Amino acid sequence: MNKIVTGALQHSRKRQNGAVMAIALVLLLVLTVLAASSMKLATTQERISGNTRDQVLAFQAAEAGLRAGEEAMEAAALLNFNGNRGRYEICAPGDNRAACNKPDYRKRDSTGWEVAEGAVDGVNRPPEYIIEKYNRSQGKDSSLDSDIPLEKVDFYRITSRGFGKTDKSMVVLQTTYRRN
């Protein structure tokens, strides 16, 4: 009888060994899928944080470009708005004078921008800005008396673009500036 019992035990052990191996392979497959998906998630999060950092750096550069444009506006004497050194006029459609041909901010290789050197560290390119002059207007609270001259107010639009650590990010900001 011992032989029959021993044979049955050996036979059931062989089946258990096969089942253990199948379960181990399934668990190994599940762990592999979990590890691969967590690595993909980590890589995606790394890209997101890198893009966010690049976008924030580009925003800071654009802000620095705006500040440089505002500092230029605070100068005692403004340069001519003739299309040089980032100074342009806001003109009617169809006006082809050089003073009206401002650069297109969407084209990264456009020229005619004034460069704000040393404004932000770690960027691909320094921030750039242009200043556009609106037509002169009458002050809001100016008197309409015939013997008092009208107050003239000048308005300007400053457009700045900043770049991040890579050339793939660009932020464009605008502000309106009033000068009496």
Side-chain angles (χ1 to χ4, degrees):
M1 251 176 116
N2 284 343
K3 286 186 176 183
I4 296 174
V5 173
T6 307
L9 285 175
Q10 285 178 351
H11 185 63
S12 89
R13 281 186 187 164
K14 286 182 183 177
R15 273 193 275 181
Q16 283 182 345
N17 286 342
V20 169
M21 182 177 267
I23 292 171
L25 285 174
V26 168
L27 286 176
L28 186 60
L29 178 66
V30 168
L31 287 175
T32 303
V33 168
L34 285 175
S37 65
S38 66
M39 292 220 5
K40 183 171 181 159
L41 181 63
T43 304
T44 302
Q45 288 178 348
E46 176 104 13
R47 284 184 187 162
I48 290 170
S49 65
N51 290 340
T52 302
R53 179 190 45 118
D54 203 27
Q55 193 70 16
V56 166
L57 192 58
F59 184 82
Q60 290 174 352
E63 279 279 337
L66 276 183
R67 296 301 152 279
E70 289 173 352
E71 287 174 10
M73 289 300 304
E74 292 173 6
L78 289 176
L79 299 172
N80 293 329
F81 286 82
N82 56 6
N84 292 325
R85 298 206 50 193
R87 301 330 191 255
Y88 299 90
E89 291 181 22
I90 297 178
C91 304
D95 194 342
N96 292 327
R97 294 179 294 139
C100 302
N101 293 329
K102 67 178 182 174
D104 187 356
Y105 69 87
R106 293 169 289 216
K107 296 180 180 174
R108 294 176 187 266
D109 58 348
S110 63
T111 59
W113 295 84
E114 187 70 13
V115 177
E117 292 289 343
V120 179
D121 292 332
V123 294
N124 187 15
R125 293 168 49 176
E128 303 168 330
Y129 67 91
I130 60 170
I131 302 173
E132 299 169 89
K133 182 179 181 181
Y134 285 97
N135 289 330
R136 208 161 208 209
S137 65
Q138 171 183 326
K140 175 181 149 189
D141 297 324
S142 292
S143 171
L144 296 176
D145 292 343
S146 61
D147 58 339
I148 299 175
L150 293 175
E151 175 192 11
K152 296 291 184 176
V153 179
D154 291 324
F155 287 96
Y156 302 88
R157 179 171 57 203
I158 303 171
T159 304
S160 172
R161 65 181 185 175
F163 302 91
K165 188 172 179 97
T166 66
D167 196 32
K168 294 182 180 184
S169 63
M170 178 178 72
V171 172
V172 177
L173 299 176
Q174 284 186 334
T175 188
T176 304
Y177 191 91
R178 176 184 172 176
R179 184 173 170 161
N180 293 352

